[in-house]
Amino acid sequence: MKNVYLIADNIYSPLGDTTAQNFEQLVNNVSGVQQHDNEAMSDEPFFASLFEKDEFVDADYTKFEQLLIASITGALKDSGVNPSDKKTVLIISTTKGNISLLETEQPSPELDERIALHTSAKLITQHFGFVNEPIVISHACISGLAAMITGMRLIQSGQYDHAVVAGADVISKFILSGFQSFQAVSPGLCRPFDAGRDGINLGEGAATVILSAEEKPTGEAIELVSGAISNDANHISGPSRTGEELYFAIDKAMKGAGLQAGDIDFISAHGTATIYNDDMESKAITLAGLREAPVNSLKGFYGHTLGASGLIEAIISAQSLKQNLVIPTKGFKQQGDTNPVNVCSQLISKPLNICLKIASGFGGCNAAIILTKS
């Protein structure tokens, strides 16, 4: 099969407009999560990573679509990839899309069509001049990794040479209230894997990675070696209590890459800072024999960016490999799981070659990918 390389990327978030800006902020321990007093979104103050209100003023596109356009533009710049090439495909990852329009528009067939994810995908396709039908991946919180795995497989099959994989989500009252109804939102800053963790912070953001069968001449690309998806079918919102199903995805991804536990230099976890998710991930990591590998979660910097989270965290992981730096888990202080893992609590500088990125989501879905220096 063809090798698949990450040849260009962009993160567009409250921390910065480029991947480089975002990574620098993380290295400097700067978080986008802040307290917000916005009665239009919540009756109570809440912590989240949000864009400024006046950043998105284009009447032709929604905020969600403007985020995608900004990130895709940043990734395509100097990439050498032509959207009008028949061997290039656009894959969009999101969980909510334009669902916030339900709060501002009257119900109608037109609204139904405007909210539909395929409508946004068509608009983005036309904006950039992609000639192929876009693919939309909306698979809860593993959407970003599932989109990368889809792009990888399409390239490996020979159907395409390039896949532009972009993900975004915005936070609205509709979305925030849903998580509040689960009592899953932390009243303060989230603390992934910590003994005192009490819920998530949400976040807005977009990210794009361009996958290609052609490695950049500079040799700076990271390779997406393998990926796997599983589903535990445990509960509509509660993760598996054993971690076996996420372990199944991890094991399959590692076997697909021909790796053993000792080969993994660090793990980028989902790390939502909810009690059950972090405990489940710890169990899965333990089952995989990876308790000694450094583990980090970026939710303390970005909040949970939903359909963009897997992409943002995979891109940061790729940068970590390039720069030999493991970003710490902001908010973590004390081990809080029955199967404690090696949570990274400070910046680690050491030679890095291989990263395992994992994610889990509502409905019991799990995903794992392997990134390596090419």
Side-chain angles (χ1 to χ4, degrees):
M1 291 189 295
K2 293 182 178 180
N3 293 346
V4 178
Y5 303 98
L6 283 65
I7 63 165
D9 54 61
N10 171 270
I11 298 175
Y12 193 93
S13 81
L15 287 178
D17 299 347
T18 67
T19 298
Q21 289 175 5
N22 275 264
F23 195 79
E24 182 180 7
Q25 295 281 59
L26 301 190
V27 170
N28 291 327
N29 199 35
V30 177
S31 174
V33 179
Q34 301 177 14
Q35 183 173 346
H36 296 270
D37 294 287
N38 184 344
E39 293 184 357
M41 292 183 67
S42 174
D43 294 335
E44 301 176 354
F46 62 97
F47 284 80
S49 179
L50 307 178
F51 290 101
E52 297 293 334
K53 292 182 180 179
D54 57 357
E55 288 190 46
F56 305 95
V57 294
D58 191 335
D60 293 330
Y61 300 100
T62 63
K63 179 178 177 179
F64 162 65
E65 291 153 3
Q66 289 178 67
L67 276 173
L68 285 171
I69 289 171
S71 184
I72 294 170
T73 299
L76 283 173
K77 182 181 179 182
D78 301 325
S79 70
V81 173
N82 183 1
S84 64
D85 186 344
K86 290 184 179 180
K87 297 291 281 185
T88 299
V89 63
L90 172 66
I91 304 174
I92 292 178
S93 158
T94 185
T95 64
K96 305 299 182 183
N98 283 323
I99 199 71
S100 60
L101 293 178
L102 289 174
E103 301 173 23
T104 59
E105 307 296 327
Q106 293 296 317
S108 68
E110 291 76 21
L111 178 61
D112 293 343
E113 179 65 19
R114 190 67 186 88
I115 288 178
L117 297 180
H118 64 76
T119 300
S120 293
K122 183 177 180 180
L123 289 171
I124 302 301
T125 297
Q126 293 172 344
H127 178 87
F128 288 101
F130 288 94
V131 295
N132 291 307
E133 193 80 13
I135 297 171
V136 177
I137 304 292
S138 186
H139 197 356
C141 299
I142 72 164
S143 296
L145 293 192
M148 289 183 68
I149 292 170
T150 300
M152 176 190 72
R153 291 173 177 172
L154 289 171
I155 291 171
Q156 289 175 336
S157 72
Q159 187 172 351
Y160 296 103
D161 291 332
H162 311 290
V164 179
V165 185
D169 265 309
V170 299
I171 304 304
S172 65
K173 182 176 182 178
F174 181 91
I175 295 170
L176 177 59
S177 64
F179 282 92
Q180 288 173 332
S181 71
F182 283 123
Q183 298 182 339
V185 178
S186 173
L189 297 172
C190 71
R191 293 173 285 176
F193 296 102
D194 188 77
R197 65 184 184 271
D198 55 5
I200 66 170
N201 301 143
L202 292 174
E204 297 179 323
T208 303
V209 62
I210 300 180
L211 305 178
S212 177
E214 303 168 5
E215 186 175 9
K216 271 190 170 182
T218 59
E220 295 178 348
I222 298 297
E223 187 175 348
L224 175 55
V225 181
S226 66
I229 294 172
S230 67
N231 196 294
D232 57 52
N234 175 69
H235 187 270
I236 192 171
S237 62
S240 164
R241 296 297 187 263
T242 66
E244 291 177 299
E245 296 81 8
L246 173 57
Y247 160 65
F248 176 79
I250 293 172
D251 185 60
K252 190 171 182 180
M254 289 178 61
K255 286 179 178 176
L259 299 175
Q260 296 182 347
D263 299 320
I264 303 298
D265 291 312
F266 77 99
I267 301 168
S268 173
H270 194 49
T272 61
T274 55
I275 294 173
Y276 292 120
N277 174 87
D278 294 9
D279 190 59
M280 183 276 290
E281 282 195 282
S282 296
K283 290 176 180 176
I285 291 168
T286 299
L287 288 170
L290 294 167
R291 288 180 64 170
E292 301 304 316
V295 176
N296 73 359
S297 165
L298 301 181
K299 298 299 191 292
F301 294 99
Y302 290 104
H304 192 341
T305 54
L306 307 176
S309 63
L311 283 165
I312 289 174
E313 293 159 13
I315 292 169
I316 293 297
S317 296
Q319 287 296 312
S320 289
L321 290 174
K322 290 180 180 180
Q323 300 192 34
N324 296 305
L325 291 172
V326 181
I327 302 298
T329 302
K330 193 171 184 64
F332 174 81
K333 294 181 180 179
Q334 181 181 353
Q335 288 282 355
D337 293 298
T338 53
N339 295 86
V341 292
N342 184 17
V343 182
C344 178
S345 59
Q346 58 186 359
L347 190 69
I348 296 176
S349 176
K350 70 172 187 176
L352 301 172
N353 292 294
I354 301 173
C355 168
L356 166 67
K357 169 66 195 141
I358 56 179
S360 298
F362 284 171
C365 52
N366 308 288
I369 63 171
I370 299 289
L371 299 173
T372 72
K373 284 181 178 173
S374 61

